Amino acid sequence: MKHRFASDCHNHSHCSPDGSDSIAAMLSRARELGLYAYTLTDHCECQKFEERYRARVEDAWAQMSDVQPPEGLRFYRGIELGQPNQDTASAAKALQGRAYDFVIGSIHNIRDFEDFFFLDYSGAPDGYIDSLLTAYWQELLEMIAWGDFDTLGHLTYPLRYIQGDHGIPVDLSKHQDAIDSVFTALIKAGKALEVNTSGLRQKIGRTLPDLPLLKRYHELGGKLVTLGSDAHSIADLAKGIDEGMDVLREAGFTEFAVYAQRRPEMLPLE
Ligand SMILES: [Zn+2]
Ligand SMILES: [Zn+2]
């Protein structure tokens, strides 16, 4: 890694339905790359907790607790909660009794819709995409009001598919007020904003959120940022983290956070 404090705090092992490698394999790759800190954050889609995720969450926790991290790697145990605002009782159950270091709050789908990954955007009527985005910002605000998470995961996730995979242009300027209210609420609640570097290796070709939005968050007083590659395999582990750190510096930040026991430790972007 180019940066001394390069850390990857958003990763999935085979404990996630879409992850492919064991926890031990992920940890050994993190050590091999020389990461300063490493956090595993397997999925829990809260609205599917009882039917699909309860056992996975228990299993991931047991495996993370049993594993012996390689010498010299700071390893933290996390979770990515999807849609906690849609099922707060399940979100509470996912966290209960497990002393996570780090909780990512994400919105992968808005209420009564599939994951943005699965939606059909072809031939969408005028205003359809804007209405999806409006609902997305609204649910992010609900999640922030709920509050039991540490960083907001991959803000602008829908654009990964709408703009990136489907090539549909989106004018975010129409949404600037809504985005500003998400940033303001996040800052007020003392939560962090994640820079998710998965976009750099996908069609969208930029971090989620990207440089202009990170500049805006900084301008509004945002100080807490975290970094994650969102790798689902050892092949993608830490991909884009160095570039993400450069983007943060360009946006005006001098430090970023790694969470242990749900508290931020500030590290220089060096
Ligand atoms: Zn996610
Ligand atoms: Zn993820």
Side-chain angles (χ1 to χ4, degrees):
M1 306 299 294
K2 192 176 85 178
H3 296 86
R4 190 153 55 114
F5 293 102
S7 300
D8 192 350
C9 299
H10 184 155
N11 265 234
H12 300 273
S13 75
H14 66 179
C15 294
S16 292
D18 50 357
S20 46
D21 293 304
S22 71
I23 286 178
M26 299 297 277
L27 288 176
S28 110
R29 179 65 179 151
R31 178 70 188 96
E32 184 184 28
L33 289 168
L35 287 177
Y36 180 83
Y38 180 69
T39 310
L40 271 171
T41 54
D42 278 303
H43 283 297
C44 173
E45 296 292 274
C46 294
Q47 81 281 19
K48 298 178 191 158
F49 180 70
E50 292 302 345
E51 42 173 317
R52 271 197 83 190
Y53 283 90
R54 180 194 280 276
R56 287 186 175 278
V57 166
E58 287 168 359
D59 185 38
W61 178 257
Q63 289 194 38
M64 286 193 292
S65 303
D66 286 348
V67 78
Q68 186 64 46
E71 192 83 23
L73 178 70
R74 289 167 186 78
F75 170 52
Y76 299 113
R77 298 176 294 181
I79 187 168
E80 181 181 13
L81 293 179
Q83 301 75 243
N85 60 307
Q86 294 179 21
D87 186 346
T88 54
S90 291
K93 281 187 216 164
L95 299 180
Q96 199 173 30
R98 286 175 281 274
Y100 288 106
D101 287 301
F102 186 48
V103 178
I104 299 174
S106 297
I107 302 287
H108 298 125
N109 69 274
I110 50 176
R111 268 187 202 88
D112 306 319
F113 282 80
E114 288 292 309
D115 192 306
F116 286 101
F117 172 73
F118 294 112
L119 298 187
D120 180 8
Y121 305 100
S122 58
D126 272 2
Y128 175 68
I129 284 165
D130 285 326
S131 72
L132 291 179
L133 289 173
T134 298
Y136 172 69
W137 316 125
Q138 188 53 44
E139 291 216 22
L140 289 172
L141 287 173
E142 287 176 21
M143 185 177 82
I144 297 166
W146 166 72
D148 201 356
F149 68 101
D150 303 310
T151 198
L152 190 164
H154 48 56
L155 179 73
T156 67
Y157 175 82
L159 301 186
R160 182 195 272 178
Y161 307 108
I162 299 170
Q163 275 192 339
D165 293 354
H166 297 269
I168 302 168
V170 176
D171 176 11
L172 268 195
S173 67
K174 285 193 249 177
H175 296 270
Q176 196 55 54
D177 286 351
I179 296 171
D180 280 359
S181 31
V182 170
F183 285 156
T184 308
L186 205 56
I187 294 163
K188 203 168 159 220
K191 308 296 177 190
L193 178 69
E194 176 190 70
V195 180
N196 190 295
T197 63
S198 65
L200 294 170
R201 60 179 190 271
Q202 294 165 340
K203 279 198 192 148
I204 191 162
R206 51 183 206 260
T207 57
L208 306 172
D210 62 4
L211 178 62
L213 289 186
L214 290 167
K215 278 186 175 159
R216 181 63 181 154
Y217 171 67
H218 184 259
E219 196 174 87
L220 289 171
K223 290 186 171 60
L224 284 173
V225 282
T226 65
L227 281 148
S229 71
D230 211 346
H232 286 66
S233 68
I234 53 171
D236 286 337
L237 205 156
K239 277 217 178 136
I241 293 294
D242 277 323
E243 293 86 337
M245 292 175 83
D246 291 338
V247 169
L248 276 173
R249 287 184 73 100
E250 204 181 334
F253 295 88
T254 55
E255 32 179 38
F256 71 105
V258 167
Y259 280 73
Q261 294 171 350
R262 310 283 312 264
R263 284 169 210 275
E265 183 200 344
M266 301 309 290
L267 296 168
L269 284 163
E270 293 169 2

